[in-house]
Amino acid sequence: MESALHVLSFGALVVEVDAALGGRVTAFRLHGRNVLAEANAHPENFGSTFWTSPQSDWAWPPVVEIDSAPYVVAPAGGAALIMIGPRSERLGVHVEKRFVARPERRALEIDYCLRNAGPGEVRLAPWEVTRVHPGGLTFFPTGEGLYSPSNLTVTDAGGATWFAFDAARIAGHPKLFADAGAGWLAHVDGRTLFVKTFPRVPRVQQAAGEALIEIYAHPDRTYVELEQQGPLTTIAAGSACHWSVSWYLRALADDVEVAVGGPSLLAAVAAVLDGGG
């Protein structure tokens, strides 16, 4: 497939989005280092994509029109990209993605729009699936706990829930389904901190069989998925719903200890949340 990469660059941050591959984010770079898993991790499952929830609506593989079909690039002013996907006959919707550089916060803002182009209402939730390199440390503020069928080994410490990647403990298809105490999910790759923020959704508004936070480790140990979902929403014919997230990348200070329950690591996330870090 021919690449149709579009780039947003602001300061030390670079975002690459491939219109030919579902408007997928293929790179999020700080000082040249890409925090996202690339095609050498898996031929189809790399970068950051968008799905609809619940997965029971489409099982596997993902819906092509939403996940990987070419998107049309629409005019956008300033430091922004707009990409529009084709309509899925199966789901009755198409997806629009708007990527905006926010230099004042050193952040990437992504607005996902689910637009109902069918004759009847649909009921769906938004779902961002971001693949990162294995070997890192993933964590989020502990909420009401884990949900079945969680089988990923995690630790609760310091008010957060932590997944420390250990290749020796990855077997089968381990996945976590969890609540979070606030709307953020963080990951450390080496000395780089990646933080995603989003609206917190109470359990009653989540899709059946899904969760606000989901983390998946591929059995080949080549990537980890950082996933979060928005509220299950009824979308009338001709209407749309929007869901926005923000991404941050920061180099950790030398005195920040990368460890399960580490207070200095939690403080680094708090600095990002308080004003961009």
Side-chain angles (χ1 to χ4, degrees):
M1 177 183 295
E2 182 181 354
S3 177
L5 282 179
H6 294 258
V7 178
L8 292 175
S9 181
F10 49 112
L13 294 171
V14 175
V15 181
E16 298 174 8
V17 185
D18 194 342
L21 191 63
R24 184 177 302 188
V25 184
T26 54
F28 189 36
R29 303 183 189 275
L30 176 64
H31 301 299
R33 177 177 172 80
N34 187 7
V35 73
L36 303 182
E38 299 172 340
N40 59 0
H42 191 281
E44 289 89 31
N45 301 336
F46 62 93
S48 185
T49 189
F50 176 87
W51 296 339
T52 62
S53 176
Q55 188 171 344
S56 58
D57 285 348
W58 46 267
W60 190 263
V63 178
V64 170
E65 295 88 348
I66 292 174
D67 176 66
S68 58
Y71 276 42
V72 174
V73 181
L81 294 170
I82 298 176
M83 299 192 180
I84 303 172
R87 179 176 181 266
S88 164
E89 295 293 333
R90 182 174 185 177
L91 297 176
V93 299
H94 69 86
V95 174
E96 301 173 10
K97 303 179 181 181
R98 181 181 178 92
F99 305 92
V100 182
R102 299 295 186 190
E104 70 283 2
R105 293 191 287 127
R106 292 185 290 154
L108 172 68
E109 184 178 284
I110 310 174
D111 179 77
Y112 297 105
C113 174
L114 278 167
R115 193 170 298 279
N116 183 359
E121 67 179 26
V122 296
R123 189 162 172 79
L124 300 169
W127 185 359
E128 185 180 71
V129 179
T130 303
R131 293 146 183 144
V132 296
H133 307 290
L137 179 62
T138 305
F139 57 105
F140 58 91
T142 304
E144 297 176 1
L146 308 185
Y147 306 126
S148 178
S150 291
N151 61 346
L152 189 75
T153 300
V154 294
T155 301
D156 288 346
T161 299
W162 308 75
F163 167 58
F165 184 90
D166 179 354
R169 302 183 73 174
I170 303 300
H173 290 271
K175 187 164 186 178
L176 171 140
F177 299 81
D179 182 43
W184 62 265
L185 174 60
H187 178 78
V188 178
D189 179 0
R191 299 296 300 175
T192 301
L193 174 65
F194 177 28
V195 181
K196 303 202 292 182
T197 65
F198 42 87
R200 183 178 183 272
V201 177
R203 185 62 173 165
V204 69
Q205 295 180 22
Q206 296 164 20
E210 305 288 353
L212 173 62
I213 300 289
E214 300 185 9
I215 301 172
Y216 170 73
H218 191 270
D220 290 344
R221 304 168 182 85
T222 53
Y223 66 86
V224 172
E225 289 181 348
L226 314 181
E227 312 171 19
Q228 80 275 5
Q229 297 193 9
L232 187 65
T233 303
T234 300
I235 311 171
S239 297
C241 74
H242 290 263
W243 182 60
S244 293
V245 305
S246 291
W247 290 10
Y248 304 84
L249 270 187
R250 298 290 186 269
L252 290 172
D254 292 342
D255 60 351
V256 174
E257 180 186 10
V258 178
V260 170
S264 58
L265 190 50
L266 291 169
V269 174
V272 172
L273 301 179
D274 287 345

